[in-house]
Amino acid sequence: MKTRRFRVYAEKEDLQNVFREFQNSLDVYYVPTYSDRGAVSFNDVTVLNDLGVNFRGSHNGNNQILAFFKTTECLWRQIKWSCDGQSGVRYSALCDGNIKQINIDLNGVYKGKAIFPTEVSTMHYDDETSKKLYNELKKIFRRHSAKTVNGYYICSKAYENKEKYRFCTINTGSPAEYDLTVE
């Protein structure tokens, strides 16, 4: 099993431009990693209301989705839960059988003062389908980047507003020396 990942700082407009090009280049669909409504999917990331927004002031688990070719079926598993006398079922697309996909952890601007990187990854780079999705999205992000700093791509709009943001790598509570320095 070969893994790959890259990270990119991008504002909403940057992400819209990148994913528009990705969706025009490949016939893909997306699913959330978790769902309370069962097997759900969507075809266009650019219309997500919260695209380019970070909610928690942390790089982890903001808005995770998986991208598949439309010819590949996403498998779902049920997770039963109970808490404080209530119970239910939650659905997850994070299944061992879903290898022909890439994981996208969407991130962006937090409260107008910090920006967090979107991370694109795959645990199955040795699978040709996963590799094609990953390489195509990476190529597009690279093309839309104004600069690369320590392996992080910085998209055009994020770079234009570099004086406005802390380029956080972990969370807003971390010391400033952990931030990415973008000049």
Side-chain angles (χ1 to χ4, degrees):
M1 183 180 341
K2 293 182 182 178
T3 62
R4 296 286 187 276
R5 75 173 170 214
F6 67 90
R7 294 179 184 98
V8 57
Y9 288 94
E11 290 187 5
K12 181 175 186 161
E13 186 179 328
D14 295 318
L15 292 170
Q16 287 174 325
N17 292 336
V18 166
F19 281 102
R20 228 177 261 119
E21 187 174 334
F22 182 62
Q23 292 161 186
N24 287 332
S25 173
L26 300 176
D27 200 16
V28 296
Y29 73 99
Y30 308 91
V31 300
T33 53
Y34 293 96
S35 168
D36 293 324
R37 297 177 303 170
V40 296
S41 66
F42 52 98
N43 295 318
D44 188 359
V45 170
T46 67
V47 299
L48 294 177
N49 290 333
D50 300 319
L51 183 67
V53 176
N54 177 285
F55 301 104
R56 297 179 182 89
S58 174
H59 75 288
N60 280 343
N62 191 59
N63 190 1
Q64 296 176 331
I65 60 175
L66 306 178
F68 293 86
F69 279 110
K70 287 191 177 173
T71 56
T72 305
E73 180 185 4
C74 174
L75 304 175
W76 291 85
R77 65 184 171 107
Q78 291 185 4
I79 303 167
K80 293 181 181 179
W81 63 271
S82 63
C83 182
D84 297 329
Q86 296 182 338
S87 63
V89 175
R90 194 147 204 236
Y91 301 86
S92 175
L94 298 175
C95 302
D96 291 340
N98 285 335
I99 31 182
K100 298 180 180 300
Q101 51 84 9
I102 56 174
N103 188 310
I104 304 165
D105 189 0
L106 294 166
N107 250 306
V109 178
Y110 177 71
K111 295 186 176 181
K113 59 185 177 186
I115 190 166
F116 288 88
T118 288
E119 181 176 280
V120 177
S121 62
T122 179
M123 291 176 55
H124 305 283
Y125 191 74
D126 47 350
D127 176 81
E128 287 303 315
T129 302
S130 179
K131 185 179 199 173
K132 185 173 182 178
L133 288 164
Y134 178 87
N135 287 342
E136 181 67 14
L137 190 52
K138 184 175 183 177
K139 180 175 71 175
I140 295 167
F141 266 117
R142 192 174 331 151
R143 227 182 1 257
H144 285 266
S145 294
K147 189 170 189 159
T148 303
V149 179
N150 294 342
Y152 288 81
Y153 296 123
I154 316 294
C155 282
S156 302
K157 283 292 185 189
Y159 187 71
E160 278 178 31
N161 293 312
K162 66 183 179 195
E163 303 300 324
K164 189 168 135 179
Y165 301 131
R166 262 185 80 185
F167 283 75
C168 293
T169 58
I170 301 172
N171 63 47
T172 54
S174 297
E177 60 261 20
Y178 293 175
D179 295 351
L180 190 69
T181 302
V182 180
E183 298 173 342

